[in-house]
């Protein structure tokens, strides 16, 4: 079943920061789409809940060096 989750990442410094997070997540199995806005820090991910859990996205964002907060 398809689900959507959102995070706020307030420590993006530039568009490249947002692109790094987008690239890290979009190639993950179960991710159907991702939208990352560096000016607002909004990260919206649509995913297959049978393939991946939302906590994995939080870890991926942290692994890129940023601090995600539930939106």
């Amino acid at each position: 079943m398809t689900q959507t989750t959102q995070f706020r990442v307030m420590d993006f410094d530039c568009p490249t920061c947002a692109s790094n997070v987008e690239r890290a997540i979009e190639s993950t199995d179960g991710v159907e789409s991702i939208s990352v806005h560096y000016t607002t820090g909004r990260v919206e991910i649509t995913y297959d809940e049978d393939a991946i859990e939302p906590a994995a996205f939080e870890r991926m964002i942290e692994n890129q060096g940023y601090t995600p907060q539930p939106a």
Side-chain angles (χ1 to χ4, degrees), residues 24-41:
I25 294 174
E26 73 184 352
S27 60
T28 304
D29 286 341
V31 173
E32 297 181 9
S33 67
I34 179 170
S35 176
V36 180
H37 300 273
Y38 99 93
T39 55
T40 62

Side-chain angles (χ1 to χ4, degrees), residues 27-33 45-52 57:
S27 60
T28 304
D29 286 341
V31 173
E32 297 181 9
S33 67
I45 305 163
T46 303
Y47 63 98
D48 179 353
E49 69 178 347
D50 293 330
I52 192 164
F57 301 125

Side-chain angles (χ1 to χ4, degrees), residues 4-42:
T4 300
T5 189
Q6 293 184 1
F7 297 96
R8 287 271 182 212
V9 180
M10 301 312 294
D11 47 358
F12 286 150
D13 291 328
C14 64
T16 302
C17 298
S19 294
N20 290 341
V21 168
E22 188 171 355
R23 279 195 307 264
I25 294 174
E26 73 184 352
S27 60
T28 304
D29 286 341
V31 173
E32 297 181 9
S33 67
I34 179 170
S35 176
V36 180
H37 300 273
Y38 99 93
T39 55
T40 62
R42 187 172 67 85

